[in-house]
Amino acid sequence: SKILKMNNTNKLNYITYQTFPAESANSIQSMTMIKYFIKNGFDVKLVFPNRDKNSQSNTAVLKDFYSINDNFDVIMTKHILPFGKLNFLKKIFFHFSHLLWSFFITRKITKKNELYFTRSDWVYYFLNKKGLKVIFEIHQYSKVRKFVLKYSKSKSSVYVFTTELLKNSFFLDKQKKGRSIVLHNGYDEELFNQNIDKQNKRIIFVGSLIRFNKERGISFLIEAFKSDKLKDFSLYIVGGPENIVLKYKDILERNKIKNVFFLGFKNRKEAILEMQKSEFGILYNEKSNHALNHTSPLKYFEYIGAGLKIVSVDYLAHRQLPGSNNLFYFDENDSNAFVEQILTADKEQMFTINKEGFSVNQRVKKLIQFVARLEGFEPPTP
């Protein structure tokens, strides 16, 4: 990052149409990126809208929620737009509100010697139109994203894709490809203490129990753990919301299932502690185009950080993950195969991959080096 400072680009503005604090993986990923940009020499300012009653601009609250000690500035703007306030046409109001907020928030931005980072399509689009230096991080395919990429110039932008398949799905022109880098997600190495004793045959699943009002395979896991073959194993499920947790606890009680435990939502440190106590981690999600082809799950890298044996549904996206040859795969909805893969994994050693290469710190360093080369500088020396 010292090389980038020579070009007066050590100020990084992270502008995003997300809400903070939030339990979602995307908010955790954003805050962890901010943390490691700071550790690599950047002065960071986070800008986001006050979209709901839980939004907070108090840095002490955010730092505590996301387990961050580093200092950064926060600007939470007013959000008088309809998304989040009306319970109908949510998708339309989301895009409408997102576009308008992005237009107004970028309108007064003129500092060409600063760096801008966003996961927001429209923030990227309007900053790009001004010719500002923008790092646009892309985690999913969408028609809106395809549109803004097609009708934007590549000269001053950098594109970060979380997988190669995702990058290829946008059919980028030669210039944009040259300014694109594929960086999978990573884990926050500071939060992993490798000296924690593991509990034998302890299995963990971490993540929100619903996504877009659909369950995330929890019923499949509960059903599989009725198997007599798993009577010596225990499954711990970390995630909310609380009303869904209570629903599943009721199912466990009615079916007299004694080896599945719902722990509810845990903060970052608590969730990671639960991972580190475990021997196995489960990668499972309901089928969607994103889950099948483009996902780079945050929890996968956290499972690596915790040194877990990983039992995974056999999706193409999971086969593309770095280190994927270490996973134990089962076909979707095949509970017998799932049970057998747990029994197979139980006989194997822990993940032996070099974990450091999967940290968010390494991810940020690679991105900084890439941007430095595009700016015409030598990348920073480690």
Side-chain angles (χ1 to χ4, degrees), residues 68-200:
I68 295 175
N69 296 317
D70 309 270
N71 294 319
F72 57 97
D73 295 325
V74 178
I75 295 177
M76 184 172 71
T77 70
K78 286 184 180 179
H79 189 267
I80 55 173
L81 298 160
F83 177 69
K85 298 179 175 66
L86 302 171
N87 289 320
F88 58 94
L89 300 176
K90 285 187 176 180
K91 196 169 184 180
I92 291 170
F93 282 132
F94 172 80
H95 289 297
F96 175 72
S97 300
H98 184 183
L99 188 153
L100 279 184
W101 181 82
S102 302
F103 173 75
F104 286 114
I105 203 67
T106 58
R107 210 171 153 197
K108 296 178 181 178
I109 294 173
T110 56
K111 293 180 180 176
K112 296 208 169 191
N113 63 335
E114 295 188 2
L115 195 59
Y116 297 87
F117 191 108
T118 191
R119 290 177 46 149
S120 157
D121 303 322
W122 295 114
V123 169
Y124 156 72
Y125 181 78
F126 292 122
L127 289 175
N128 176 273
K129 288 292 182 190
K130 288 172 168 273
L132 299 171
K133 294 183 178 69
V134 191
I135 300 172
F136 183 28
E137 178 155 9
I138 299 166
H139 287 241
Q140 292 193 41
Y141 177 86
S142 75
K143 290 179 181 176
V144 171
R145 211 150 290 153
K146 183 180 178 181
F147 171 86
V148 300
L149 281 171
K150 184 177 180 180
Y151 293 102
S152 59
K153 297 172 184 175
S154 58
K155 187 178 178 183
S156 57
S157 293
V158 175
Y159 308 96
V160 181
F161 296 91
T162 46
T163 75
E164 194 71 38
L165 285 173
L166 179 60
K167 175 186 167 185
N168 293 340
S169 70
F170 285 97
F171 303 104
L172 303 174
D173 61 40
K174 187 177 179 181
Q175 275 191 318
K176 286 191 176 78
K177 279 183 181 176
R179 298 185 69 84
S180 299
I181 184 171
V182 174
L183 295 171
H184 280 271
N185 278 316
Y187 72 95
D188 185 345
E189 62 196 60
E190 274 197 348
L191 300 182
F192 286 81
N193 176 352
Q194 302 307 324
N195 297 322
I196 292 171
D197 290 335
K198 293 194 175 294
Q199 296 172 12
N200 194 34

Side-chain angles (χ1 to χ4, degrees), residues 299-356:
K299 66 186 165 195
Y300 170 70
F301 297 95
E302 293 188 330
Y303 289 166
I304 290 176
L308 305 186
K309 302 169 186 176
I310 301 171
V311 181
S312 169
V313 63
D314 194 357
Y315 290 161
L316 177 62
H318 292 167
R319 292 274 185 182
Q320 301 293 314
L321 291 167
S324 59
N325 56 320
N326 291 277
L327 274 61
F328 298 88
Y329 293 102
F330 63 94
D331 289 334
E332 184 187 28
N333 297 324
D334 188 340
S335 58
N336 289 329
F338 172 70
V339 170
E340 290 304 319
Q341 286 297 66
I342 289 175
L343 298 175
T344 300
D346 190 40
K347 299 169 189 170
E348 299 293 330
Q349 296 298 311
M350 288 295 179
F351 223 112
T352 55
I353 202 161
N354 172 23
K355 289 186 281 195
E356 187 184 333

Side-chain angles (χ1 to χ4, degrees), residues 3-4 7 370-379:
I3 304 297
L4 292 179
N7 200 35
F370 184 72
V371 174
R373 282 196 293 270
L374 292 177
E375 290 290 318
F377 298 118
E378 286 297 315

Side-chain angles (χ1 to χ4, degrees), residues 35-89:
K35 173 178 176 176
Y36 284 97
F37 270 118
I38 298 166
K39 290 186 181 299
N40 281 278
F42 284 85
D43 296 328
V44 178
K45 182 190 293 177
L46 170 64
V47 183
F48 66 96
N50 182 8
R51 264 170 44 180
D52 63 43
K53 64 181 186 299
N54 297 317
S55 297
Q56 281 272 4
S57 60
N58 186 320
T59 51
V61 171
L62 296 178
K63 285 164 73 171
D64 180 65
F65 188 90
Y66 293 101
S67 302
I68 295 175
N69 296 317
D70 309 270
N71 294 319
F72 57 97
D73 295 325
V74 178
I75 295 177
M76 184 172 71
T77 70
K78 286 184 180 179
H79 189 267
I80 55 173
L81 298 160
F83 177 69
K85 298 179 175 66
L86 302 171
N87 289 320
F88 58 94
L89 300 176

